[in-house]
Amino acid sequence: MLKPENEAALAEMIATGTGPLRIVGGGTRDIGALVQGDVLSMAEVSGITLYEPGALTLVARAGTPVADIEAALASEGQRLAFEPMDHRGLLGTQGTPTIGGIVAANVSGPRRIQVGACRDSLLGVRFVDGIGRVLKNGGRVMKNVTGYDLVKLMAGSWGTLGVLSEVSLKVQAMPETEATLVCEGKTEQDGVAALCAALGTPFDVAGAAHLDAAATGGMSRTQVRLEGLEASVAYRMDRLRQGLLAGFDVVQGAQSALLWDEVRNVTPFADQTGAVWRISSKPTDGPLITAALKASGLAHRAIYDWGGGLVWVLVTQDDTAGAAPIRQQVAKFGGHATLVRASQVQRAQLDVFQKEPTPIAAITTSLRAQFDSHGRLNPGLMGE
């Protein structure tokens, strides 16, 4: 295993090496069956290098544990707005989530509908490309937009364009209070319709999710989160309950936070056997897609996040035959499906990411040729 202690050592290892590299941060998103090559661990390239609470800015090396960053932010009453998921429960991995891994996978939680994805909080990056060049892009404040597109491009590139060594992030003050409006027993279509209606109001919804009855182990649950000053949350909550969300109950404080931890980390699927798919589609199409999958005997449980635009599906059929019909059903609605959890046999035979349309694939190939001309960084991860 290659374990550089700093950016300079990282650049030298890449520049002098010749074979493929499997890049890992804390090892919580296991890609071992997808990428063959020497393991390059970024765990030692760690530490917060700058934190300015007044400027809502934090800079950290890629291997910094997310828990360390969250602790530093919490001490100043701040947080990572994009609410990153912890994959360990769902994937059964150990390790420690790192900020570099979060950025490389663009991991974003339920609050994305309000504040954007991880990439929208990313101000700047430093990374080493496939031939060992140290590159930097962006800055430490939002007004510095030089090369901003490249900063966003690195988020979600899964290490195929370069190995992140440092990231700059904007952070957010913690709200004074949060409350969740909850209703049990709605159908998936009615639940998602309620979420869409709430998101269409001016009441600044910070989370909108629906869990089907199989996911909860009882009755389905539709939930809408509000955050902010206590008086503001109370006012918005009352307006919603008097109108679009009539009949919803109120859950507050720690109990509310637990509801959203469950959605963020897909906890209902953690102790269940079967493959897990992550489907992106138009919110109102989500229930139609899962209905088709359930009718075919593929889907067993479903969790709708982002107002229905993100659907987590548990598939009980544990073989490769399940991939084609799932992606065919999703494609009918213009969405796409990513295989998040699967057996080692499935991992070896199925593409994790849905194939890109030809014009986009051509752009992707060109970008990789610019930043990793020898194809050494996480080869095969994106299905190429």
Side-chain angles (χ1 to χ4, degrees), residues 40 45 109 128 135 146 156 163-164 182-184 267 290 292 300 311 380:
L40 193 162
V45 187
V128 179
L135 305 175
T146 304
V163 183
L164 287 166
V182 178
C183 183
E184 295 185 329
T267 304
T290 56
H300 176 55
V311 188

Side-chain angles (χ1 to χ4, degrees), residues 76-346:
E76 297 289 341
Q78 296 178 345
R79 66 184 181 182
L80 294 172
F82 54 90
E83 203 173 8
M85 174 184 181
D86 184 342
H87 283 79
R88 287 176 292 185
L90 181 65
L91 300 182
T93 53
Q94 302 296 318
T96 301
T98 63
I99 195 63
I102 293 293
V103 171
N106 192 35
V107 180
S108 312
R111 203 176 290 111
R112 179 175 183 172
I113 58 172
Q114 181 193 49
V115 301
C118 172
R119 64 165 56 93
D120 297 299
S121 291
L122 194 60
L123 301 174
V125 293
R126 292 179 66 93
F127 64 97
V128 179
D129 71 4
I131 60 174
R133 296 178 298 184
V134 177
L135 305 175
K136 60 181 180 179
N137 202 251
R140 293 176 176 174
V141 293
M142 288 300 292
K143 65 182 180 182
N144 186 341
V145 295
T146 304
Y148 196 64
D149 286 345
L150 182 55
V151 171
K152 292 200 173 197
L153 189 64
M154 290 301 294
S157 62
W158 286 85
T160 59
L161 300 179
V163 183
L164 287 166
S165 56
E166 185 178 82
V167 298
S168 304
L169 296 160
K170 65 174 179 177
V171 299
Q172 182 187 70
M174 290 183 180
E176 183 176 283
T177 188
E178 77 166 67
T180 300
L181 302 179
V182 178
C183 183
E184 295 185 329
K186 286 186 176 293
T187 66
E188 290 165 76
Q189 284 188 312
D190 288 346
V192 170
L195 301 180
C196 292
L199 288 167
T201 70
F203 299 131
D204 202 19
V205 170
H210 176 87
L211 294 78
D212 71 7
T216 65
M219 298 181 70
S220 66
R221 186 172 75 237
T222 308
Q223 56 191 61
V224 174
R225 179 173 58 185
L226 302 172
E227 297 178 324
L229 296 175
E230 186 173 355
S232 172
V233 170
Y235 169 77
R236 288 178 281 147
M237 183 170 57
D238 288 344
R239 289 292 303 274
L240 285 169
R241 294 182 73 203
Q242 292 169 10
L244 296 172
L245 302 186
F248 277 61
D249 296 321
V250 179
V251 176
Q252 295 181 295
Q255 189 177 357
S256 171
L258 286 174
L259 291 178
W260 292 101
D261 283 346
E262 186 178 42
V263 173
R264 177 185 63 177
N265 297 327
V266 198
T267 304
F269 295 178
D271 59 350
Q272 301 296 314
T273 59
V276 175
W277 290 80
R278 184 180 187 271
I279 298 171
S280 296
S281 70
K282 187 172 69 177
T284 51
D285 286 341
L288 302 178
I289 294 172
T290 56
L293 295 177
K294 289 179 178 180
S296 66
L298 290 172
H300 176 55
R301 301 184 177 197
I303 297 174
Y304 301 80
D305 199 359
W306 302 350
L310 170 64
V311 188
W312 295 92
V313 174
L314 179 67
V315 176
T316 54
Q317 183 173 324
D318 192 24
D319 59 41
T320 57
I326 285 174
R327 285 192 164 132
Q328 287 169 3
Q329 290 289 351
V330 174
K332 291 178 182 178
F333 296 90
H336 63 271
T338 301
L339 182 61
V340 176
R341 188 182 77 189
S343 67
Q344 291 300 313
V345 172
Q346 288 174 310

